[in-house]
């Protein structure tokens, strides 16, 4: 159990008689980059929503660091270090890069709702904010507004704000979606860098990114786990190849 950050046991979700996720037994090991892939409608995002408690399961259990968190609230899990990218992906477009990261740092310090404090009282957070901004390659744009950033750099800013929440495990939902080749490469390297001392679970459609980054890949189809293993193992699986036929993926 000590090596598992997340474990699900027979995790199932029903919607008005439709089974979106059925009997999913997922194990995410500490320090790994674990990818969840599959054709559209496979149930990947529903699993993410169940893990982060944005949906209640119809049955089954979710364990986080060995503790049963099936009934936990999303904010409770975030405070315990399970942070999902979309939870902080809505950057404030008219605030600077530094101000966006500083807001996330306020949550860690417990000062998010101290509206009566002057802006200068937050200057103590600037050093840590600038460290995070540099870590994601935005050091030269700390004073730029989020609205000025190209799409790929906005994703880097979102990762910086995720890191500000001091996650033990990061759940990234399609981190390279909608990006050009150059931005995909930049974000791929950034994920590799931030995963150095933490666990990453990601949903990703770009199979080149999956092959490049992932230690373990879980393939889903029609709400169930179809296969699991390294990229070489799952890409050579006839059932996986059949699942992707006609979906536009090689």
């Amino acid at each position: 159990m000590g090596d598992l950050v997340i474990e699900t046991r027979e995790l199932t979700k029903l919607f008005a008689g439709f089974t979106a996720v059925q009997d999913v037994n997922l194990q995410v090991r500490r320090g790994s980059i674990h990818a969840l892939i599959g054709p559209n409608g496979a149930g990947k995002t529903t699993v993410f929503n169940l893990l982060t408690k944005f949906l209640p399961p119809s049955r089954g259990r979710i364990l986080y660091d060995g503790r049963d968190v099936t009934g936990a609230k999303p904010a409770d899990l975030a405070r315990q270090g399970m942070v999902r990218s979309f939870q902080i992906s809505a950057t404030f477009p008219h605030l600077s890069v530094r101000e966006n990261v500083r807001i996330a740092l306020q949550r860690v310090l417990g000062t998010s709702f101290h509206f009566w404090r002057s802006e200068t009282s937050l200057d103590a957070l600037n050093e840590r904010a600038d460290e995070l901004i540099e870590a994601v390659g935005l050091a030269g744009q700390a004073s730029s507004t989020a609205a000025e950033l190209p799409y790929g750099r906005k994703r880097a800013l979102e990762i910086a704000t995720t890191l500000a929440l001091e996650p033990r495990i990061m759940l990234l939902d399609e981190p390279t979606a909608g990006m050009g080749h150059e931005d995909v490469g930049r974000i791929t390297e950034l994920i590799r860098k931030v995963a150095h001392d933490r666990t990453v679970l990601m949903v990703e459609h770009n199979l080149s990114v999956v092959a490049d980054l992932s230690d373990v890949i879980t393939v889903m189809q029609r709400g169930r786990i179809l296969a699991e293993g390294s990229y070489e193992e799952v890409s050579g699986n006839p059932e996986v190849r059949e699942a992707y036929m006609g979906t536009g993926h090689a």
Side-chain angles (χ1 to χ4, degrees):
M1 285 299 299
D3 284 341
L4 298 180
V5 180
I6 291 178
E7 181 181 12
T8 68
R9 298 177 182 175
E10 299 182 353
L11 191 62
T12 299
K13 182 62 182 178
L14 306 174
F15 292 103
F18 169 71
T19 304
V21 170
Q22 185 167 1
D23 296 328
V24 167
N25 296 308
L26 180 70
Q27 294 185 334
V28 180
R29 299 202 171 273
R30 194 178 315 280
S32 66
I33 300 179
H34 193 129
L36 196 59
I37 70 170
N40 289 335
K44 308 178 297 295
T45 298
T46 302
V47 168
F48 256 40
N49 285 334
L50 292 168
L51 291 176
T52 51
K53 311 310 301 170
F54 283 84
L55 284 174
S58 300
R59 66 173 182 268
R61 298 173 63 201
I62 301 168
L63 281 75
Y64 175 50
D65 265 345
R67 302 185 307 276
D68 192 324
V69 295
T70 310
K73 294 180 172 59
D76 295 333
L77 288 182
R79 280 191 289 268
Q80 293 173 45
M82 185 192 296
V83 181
R84 180 176 176 176
S85 58
F86 88 81
Q87 290 176 250
I88 43 73
S89 64
T91 57
F92 296 95
H94 301 298
L95 295 182
S96 71
V97 167
R98 181 182 290 112
E99 288 166 337
N100 270 278
V101 177
R102 208 164 59 175
I103 286 171
L105 287 170
Q106 282 184 259
R107 296 198 59 174
V108 175
L109 295 177
T111 60
S112 298
F113 301 106
H114 291 189
F115 301 117
W116 60 88
R117 293 192 173 186
S118 68
E119 184 177 357
T120 56
S121 70
L122 302 178
D123 288 345
L125 300 175
N126 285 345
E127 182 176 356
R128 178 57 180 156
D130 288 344
E131 289 175 359
L132 292 169
I133 290 165
E134 183 175 0
V136 301
L138 294 176
Q141 296 167 292
S143 298
S144 302
T145 64
E148 296 176 75
L149 299 178
Y151 180 69
R153 299 301 176 96
K154 283 190 176 75
R155 297 297 294 190
L157 174 57
E158 292 162 13
I159 290 175
T161 56
T162 301
L163 293 174
L165 299 176
E166 299 181 357
R168 297 168 65 187
I169 177 168
M170 298 172 63
L171 286 81
L172 305 178
D173 199 349
E174 299 190 37
T176 68
M179 291 185 187
H181 179 74
E182 182 179 341
D183 282 336
V184 167
R186 182 182 295 114
I187 294 299
T188 298
E189 288 308 310
L190 179 55
I191 293 170
R192 194 193 317 277
K193 179 180 178 180
V194 302
H196 177 68
D197 57 355
R198 56 181 56 85
T199 307
V200 173
L201 175 62
M202 65 177 184
V203 168
E204 180 55 63
H205 283 292
N206 188 323
L207 296 186
S208 296
V209 173
V210 170
D212 190 21
L213 283 178
S214 304
D215 300 307
V216 180
I217 300 166
T218 298
V219 185
M220 293 191 65
Q221 183 186 33
R222 297 173 184 169
R224 293 178 176 269
I225 292 179
L226 178 64
E228 189 169 274
S230 67
Y231 183 79
E232 291 73 20
E233 290 169 334
V234 300
S235 63
N237 185 311
E239 291 181 297
V240 173
R241 296 176 70 88
E242 182 179 353
Y244 273 99
M245 288 291 289
T247 65
H249 293 290

